Amino acid sequence: MPEKFVDDLRQLTYTAFREAHDGSVAYRRLKAPYERLAALKPVPPLLAITGALDAIVPPDHLKFIKRVPGSEVAVIEGAGHSPMFEKPAKTLQLIRQFMQSRS
């Protein structure tokens, strides 16, 4: 985990975290993210990456992303909620493959 990330996290107050969390939940309750994405015209290319050990957004929740036309889902073994920090090389590999398949 990069020290900058840890330092930034340490500066986050509980109030700021709680407000961001509550705002995110309220936004998602209005309309599911996959519905918002599927409604875009044209639907943009979408790659959803998660960690197999993600306890916040479990991998089985990404079945909803598959409802977005043309979307792809990737699950990284051995990673939790932040695969970009936990498995950066694998995350980058997946993003590069996705971008190359779209060009």
Side-chain angles (χ1 to χ4, degrees):
M1 193 83 46
E3 281 301 313
K4 172 81 170 108
F5 178 80
V6 174
D7 291 343
D8 288 349
L9 188 60
R10 285 185 178 132
Q11 292 180 22
L12 182 66
T13 65
Y14 177 78
T15 303
F17 169 79
R18 198 72 227 174
E19 287 178 6
H21 176 269
D22 293 348
S24 174
V25 170
Y27 181 78
R28 285 180 284 145
R29 283 188 177 148
L30 289 175
K31 190 175 204 177
Y34 73 87
E35 290 175 337
R36 293 176 192 276
L37 291 166
L40 296 174
K41 300 298 179 219
V43 176
L46 173 64
L47 171 63
I49 301 173
T50 190
L53 306 174
D54 191 336
I56 297 172
V57 182
D60 66 319
H61 286 198
L62 294 184
K63 64 185 175 218
F64 297 108
I65 294 296
K66 292 179 181 177
R67 295 181 182 180
V68 178
S71 66
E72 292 183 30
V73 172
V75 178
I76 299 178
E77 295 300 322
H81 188 66
S82 301
M84 68 292 255
F85 293 111
E86 299 167 54
K87 301 282 185 174
K90 182 63 178 175
T91 302
L92 183 57
Q93 174 192 10
L94 291 168
I95 293 168
R96 284 182 172 152
Q97 288 172 345
F98 181 76
M99 297 302 290
Q100 288 172 350
S101 72
R102 297 292 188 250
S103 53

